[in-house]
Amino acid sequence: VIGWGEGLGFPIVQMDVRVAYAGVANLQGTQITFRFNLNVAAGNQIAVEPPLGYLLTCSSEGALKQLSLPGGKPDCIDDPLVLMLDQSMTRGEYAFGLITDIPAVQPTRNMFNLIIRDGEGRVVDAAYNVGGMQIADSGVMDPVLSWSRSGAGERTQILFG
């Protein structure tokens, strides 16, 4: 080592991200949603890195819910999970849903990463270590959670068992 120095840094502000799903152990094929606020007018790729034991799926029929993502239906890769949009996002709030399998036990590190990249693969915004839902054992073998619709202000029928 020739020398050592220290300088003033700068604060890093992560993108605001919310993740929601039913935290029921062994729940298969349930919906997981991501909502995020993009602070830059850039990015057409969304990567999701789930905690160990979660299986996220976007490519099977009906697995991807585009919700407020711009453009046509995104192309996707399941592993690692990446959504490729046909147009860039602008500043604002976005949401999408996927199908997931919940692990039997909560991972020690139950954190998600959501990374937005531009067409050249450069990170334009991201959120790391976004806390997942607590996973509880429902005591039900092969639990099912489904609902009839999820429109704002509309009634829905929820089935759990």
Side-chain angles (χ1 to χ4, degrees):
V1 174
I2 296 175
W4 191 261
E6 188 174 301
L8 295 176
F10 56 90
I12 296 177
V13 179
Q14 291 202 105
M15 177 173 58
D16 179 34
V17 173
R18 303 277 190 257
V19 59
Y21 55 93
V24 178
N26 281 324
L27 189 59
Q28 306 293 300
T30 192
Q31 184 86 39
I32 184 169
T33 58
F34 295 88
R35 182 187 59 80
F36 61 97
N37 286 309
L38 188 62
N39 295 316
V40 294
N44 63 351
Q45 297 177 21
I46 304 168
V48 180
E49 298 172 352
L52 189 65
Y54 287 78
L55 177 64
L56 302 181
T57 304
C58 61
S59 64
S60 61
E61 184 68 32
L64 174 62
K65 304 293 185 201
Q66 190 171 348
L67 302 180
S68 62
L69 296 178
K73 183 178 178 188
D75 291 328
C76 76
I77 299 169
D78 285 326
D79 191 19
L81 195 126
V82 179
L83 303 178
M84 293 145 300
L85 310 177
D86 62 9
Q87 70 182 67
S88 290
M89 292 179 280
T90 58
R91 295 180 121 169
E93 185 175 30
Y94 295 95
F96 64 94
L98 306 166
I99 295 296
T100 188
D101 293 344
I102 308 296
V105 295
Q106 182 168 303
T108 304
R109 191 177 169 284
N110 195 24
M111 303 286 186
F112 290 82
N113 300 330
L114 191 116
I115 305 150
I116 310 297
R117 292 187 174 93
D118 64 16
E120 285 75 48
R122 294 179 296 236
V123 174
V124 296
D125 212 343
Y128 292 88
N129 298 321
V130 177
M133 308 297 288
Q134 293 293 318
I135 297 177
D137 186 354
S138 67
V140 176
M141 299 296 276
D142 297 323
V144 174
L145 176 67
S146 65
W147 54 92
S148 58
R149 59 180 34 186
S150 59
E154 295 180 6
R155 290 184 178 261
T156 187
Q157 183 177 15
I158 299 173
L159 172 66
F160 177 75

